[in-house]
Amino acid sequence: MRLKSSLLGVAAAAVTLAAAIDGASASTTASASMTLPPSTALPPSTAVPPSTAVPSSPSPTGAACTVRYSVYTWDTGLTSSITITNTGVTTITSWRLAFPLPSGQRITTGWNAVYSPSSGNVTARGLDDHVIIGPGASIAIGFVAEHTGGTGSPSSFTLNGTSCSLS
């Protein structure tokens, strides 16, 4: 019977494949008249060892980030643009970006974030569709401020309590 011998061939191939995957050699007999060929285990150099690594848990607070800050000034005003990049491997949600606004500057309006207070140590928090920053992603926020001559940039930024690098 041709059909029966074809099915035995498929069964023999499946057993051989399973034995090869398990790394065991098999010379299993599928029937009295048919002997399966011995399996060929993977060579030691290509065998994949079982994983023993335990995945690390992301830190519950803080974030890995980079901040790019740019400013355009005129008379007694300035516009600041801030790009926050998530350089970590986990998504950042409900973020808060804190920074010291240089003396003499006062935020009058902003976009894509809520800023408080308007001067001194300011905290910006995500607004509406700008609350999630995926791994490798960036968001842009910014503000307009008045100044009394000092147009410097903030000296540091922290995102959810973790220092960000400046780019």
Side-chain angles (χ1 to χ4, degrees):
M1 273 184 144
R2 191 161 228 234
L3 178 59
K4 195 174 203 181
S5 66
S6 293
L7 289 175
L8 286 175
V10 170
V15 171
T16 302
L17 179 60
I21 290 172
D22 289 338
S25 64
S27 69
T28 307
T29 305
S31 72
S33 64
M34 180 175 195
T35 303
L36 297 175
S39 72
T40 54
L42 294 173
S45 63
T46 60
V48 179
S51 175
T52 57
V54 176
S56 62
S57 299
S59 174
T61 59
C65 56
T66 299
V67 170
R68 185 176 67 231
Y69 183 89
S70 61
V71 63
Y72 172 77
T73 63
W74 69 94
D75 298 328
T76 60
L78 60 86
T79 301
S80 293
S81 295
I82 304 169
T83 302
I84 306 166
T85 301
N86 177 356
T87 57
V89 295
T90 59
T91 299
I92 299 170
T93 59
S94 302
W95 58 266
R96 293 184 183 277
L97 182 71
F99 56 94
L101 198 61
S103 180
Q105 296 180 15
R106 187 178 68 82
I107 297 173
T108 57
T109 189
W111 60 91
N112 297 336
V114 174
Y115 299 87
S116 67
S118 61
S119 62
N121 290 319
V122 175
T123 299
R125 66 177 169 81
L127 179 65
D128 297 334
D129 60 343
H130 285 83
V131 295
I132 297 174
I133 313 170
S138 299
I139 62 165
I141 63 173
F143 59 86
V144 175
E146 298 173 335
H147 68 84
T148 58
T151 59
S153 300
S155 56
S156 63
F157 293 87
T158 59
L159 188 64
N160 293 350
T162 301
S163 295
C164 296
S165 60
L166 301 174
S167 66

